[in-house]
Amino acid sequence: MAEKDFRSLSEEISSFCLVAEARSGTQVIQPFPRSPKLIRRTGAISPKPLELPVWLEDLKKERKRTEYHLESIKKRQANLNTSSEAMKQQVQECFEELLMALQRDEKAVLDMIEQDRRETSSKLNRILQDWNQHLGLLQKHISTIQSAQQSSAESMKQPFPEDFTCHKKLDPAEEEIKMNEERIQKLMKVLRNISKDLKAQLQRKNLMLDSSNVVFDKRTCHKQIKVTSEGRGLCLSSEDCNIPNDPQRFDQLYCALGTVAVKSGQHYWEVDVHCCSSWAVGMAYGSLQRRGREKGAKLGRNRCSWSLEFQDGHLTAWHNDRHVALPVTAARAAPNRVGVFVKYQKGRLVFYDAETMRTLQEFSAVFDRAHHQFTEPLYPAFRFFSPKDKGHHHMEICNLSL
């Protein structure tokens, strides 16, 4: 059948459908029209002759841009090894300087001990020589007496020297001749402290790379909390400050939040609490309640907050109204400076003693479900307890800028 016959047959079918629709009063669903994307695609196959030069020019420009971009990536890749080696060299030089300083100091300390040994040994040698001379003299006198006892009576009439029966007195100063062990013990104590501090600083250096610029949010502070001008210090007063009301402000609890919202990545900061007799430092969602004194507003007493708390000589870690008591002894005292580390995607929150880098508490799967994850932006959180408590009430965020 010819193409013309097909076309006439299609027109007759369309006319029949329209007549049937008009007679029955019902709508006949027609086939869907061709998709606009297909129309464009069909039109792209057969471009107009005048469009070809324009398309060709666009394609050449795109090819040139792509080639330039590829060269740029190749250049970056080539420079990657050079940059990496330069960084490694710089790191090695820094550690070599540290190692050389330690080696120099080690040599100086060992030389000092060796010098002390030599001086002590020289003094003891002189005393040994003196006593050996005395011993030799005694041996000589003993031999003389023994010879006299075996000789005739006439030889006994010969006089003996006055010091023939000499007795050498012990000098109490001899007991004092020894190495300066007390000085060495002090040195060992200093070296142990340096070693401990160095280990702590080496551990701290990685956290310092993720240090965040945390300041207090004045809108959230209780009316009795004063914020320093730079926004890094908090002080609890016995009187209300003259500040306007704000829905973000804690109205009953002596709390404050930081301005930094942690939504991703790793963050670290430190809080100096040595001027505060009782305190709480932690993290909280922005949805934490600000009104009243119920658990929903207290740090660590709900699902919205985590805290490290020191009160009445006890150090505890809190979340969702559950807590862990942390030991406080003479060897493991309460921290003067608290380090806070957050790894948001992993749901990890760690509190450190920032002076020794001892881990005080790590929140992950211990307090909540098997795989803990944060569900909202986190804010640094701080709390004072009653201003009637004896002692100071001051906290300060440490400046960790490098």
Side-chain angles (χ1 to χ4, degrees):
M1 186 180 291
E3 182 179 354
K4 183 177 181 181
D5 296 333
F6 275 115
R7 190 178 302 167
S8 60
L9 178 61
S10 176
E11 291 175 354
E12 290 179 1
I13 293 173
S14 298
S15 300
F16 174 77
C17 291
L18 292 174
V19 172
E21 180 183 352
R23 288 180 179 178
S24 62
T26 59
Q27 184 177 3
V28 178
I29 299 175
Q30 299 294 331
F32 288 107
R34 180 174 290 177
S35 169
K37 292 184 179 180
L38 292 177
I39 293 173
R40 287 196 298 270
R41 189 178 299 165
T42 302
I45 296 173
S46 302
K48 297 178 181 180
L50 296 177
E51 293 177 339
L52 291 177
V54 177
W55 287 8
L56 180 61
E57 186 65 24
D58 289 342
L59 289 173
K60 287 182 178 181
K61 289 181 179 180
E62 179 63 19
R63 181 182 65 182
K64 186 176 181 179
R65 188 183 69 86
T66 302
E67 291 174 347
Y68 178 80
H69 187 61
L70 285 172
E71 289 298 324
S72 176
I73 295 175
K74 290 178 181 179
K75 186 176 180 181
R76 287 170 54 192
Q77 189 175 30
N79 292 336
L80 186 62
N81 291 336
T82 304
S83 300
S84 175
E85 291 302 321
M87 292 177 186
K88 289 180 181 179
Q89 182 66 26
Q90 291 176 356
V91 171
Q92 287 176 349
E93 289 176 358
C94 289
F95 276 96
E96 284 175 1
E97 288 180 3
L98 288 174
L99 184 59
M100 289 176 62
L102 289 173
Q103 290 174 343
R104 285 195 300 267
D105 193 70
E106 178 188 16
K107 185 178 183 305
V109 171
L110 295 177
D111 289 346
M112 179 193 71
I113 296 175
E114 179 62 20
Q115 180 66 24
D116 191 10
R117 185 198 68 80
R118 289 177 180 176
E119 292 178 357
T120 305
S121 178
S122 177
K123 293 177 182 178
L124 290 176
N125 284 334
R126 287 195 293 270
I127 293 175
L128 283 172
Q129 184 178 2
D130 190 24
W131 279 99
N132 281 328
Q133 290 178 354
H134 179 63
L135 179 62
L137 184 62
L138 291 176
Q139 292 288 1
K140 180 179 179 182
H141 291 342
I142 291 172
S143 298
T144 301
I145 292 176
Q146 290 176 344
S147 299
Q149 288 177 341
Q150 297 175 0
S151 61
S152 59
E154 294 182 358
S155 62
M156 295 290 295
K157 296 179 180 180
Q158 295 179 358
F160 290 97
E162 295 181 357
D163 61 343
F164 197 76
T165 57
C166 64
H167 293 278
K168 185 175 176 62
K169 295 182 180 180
L170 295 176
D171 188 355
E174 291 180 4
E175 297 297 325
E176 301 298 326
I177 300 176
K178 57 185 177 180
M179 293 186 66
N180 195 342
E181 296 181 3
E182 183 180 355
R183 182 181 179 86
I184 301 302
Q185 291 301 322
K186 288 181 179 180
L187 173 63
M188 291 303 301
K189 186 175 181 179
V190 171
L191 289 176
R192 290 191 187 100
N193 290 335
I194 292 175
S195 177
K196 185 187 298 183
D197 293 341
L198 179 59
K199 291 176 182 177
Q201 290 301 321
L202 289 175
Q203 181 182 355
R204 185 170 176 256
K205 77 179 189 309
N206 294 328
L207 297 175
M208 292 283 289
L209 301 178
D210 298 312
S211 60
S212 299
N213 184 24
V214 177
V215 294
F216 297 109
D217 187 351
K218 296 181 180 180
R219 300 177 307 162
T220 64
C221 297
H222 184 274
K223 286 190 174 182
Q224 289 182 227
I225 294 179
K226 296 180 179 179
V227 182
T228 57
S229 58
E230 68 277 7
R232 291 185 176 274
L234 284 184
C235 184
L236 181 60
S237 173
S238 58
E239 299 178 354
D240 289 350
C241 301
N242 186 18
I243 52 178
N245 293 325
D246 194 295
Q248 301 295 321
R249 194 180 308 284
F250 290 92
D251 67 340
Q252 296 292 327
L253 299 173
Y254 305 110
C255 294
L257 298 181
T259 57
V260 175
V262 177
K263 303 176 183 178
S264 62
Q266 300 181 169
H267 302 265
Y268 178 76
W269 60 92
E270 295 176 358
V271 187
D272 192 332
V273 293
H274 83 280
C275 288
C276 193
S277 56
S278 56
W279 46 266
V281 173
M283 297 293 294
Y285 290 146
S287 58
L288 181 69
Q289 293 182 19
R290 314 297 171 87
R291 297 290 180 263
R293 304 182 62 87
E294 302 300 322
K295 291 181 179 180
K298 292 182 178 180
L299 298 183
R301 296 342 189 249
N302 46 68
R303 287 182 174 271
C304 296
S305 59
W306 299 255
S307 72
L308 183 73
E309 180 178 303
F310 182 72
Q311 188 178 19
D312 299 327
H314 300 286
L315 188 66
T316 51
W318 289 83
H319 173 59
N320 199 19
D321 205 27
R322 298 163 61 192
H323 75 280
V324 171
L326 307 177
V328 176
T329 62
R332 298 167 68 95
N336 292 323
R337 180 183 292 189
V338 178
V340 185
F341 175 73
V342 180
K343 195 169 186 177
Y344 190 87
Q345 280 81 358
K346 297 294 184 179
R348 187 169 175 239
L349 172 62
V350 188
F351 293 98
Y352 294 97
D353 182 336
E355 293 181 334
T356 64
M357 295 314 298
R358 174 169 59 97
T359 300
L360 300 173
Q361 178 61 40
E362 178 173 352
F363 290 99
S364 55
V366 179
F367 279 73
D368 213 331
R369 49 193 179 274
H371 181 64
H372 185 85
Q373 288 183 335
F374 299 122
T375 57
E376 300 178 33
L378 288 167
Y379 293 85
F382 313 87
R383 181 185 177 186
F384 294 109
F385 293 93
S386 174
K388 297 180 181 179
D389 295 342
K390 295 181 180 180
H392 301 285
H393 302 278
H394 176 78
M395 295 187 203
E396 187 162 350
I397 297 173
C398 304
N399 185 5
L400 302 182
S401 59
L402 299 176

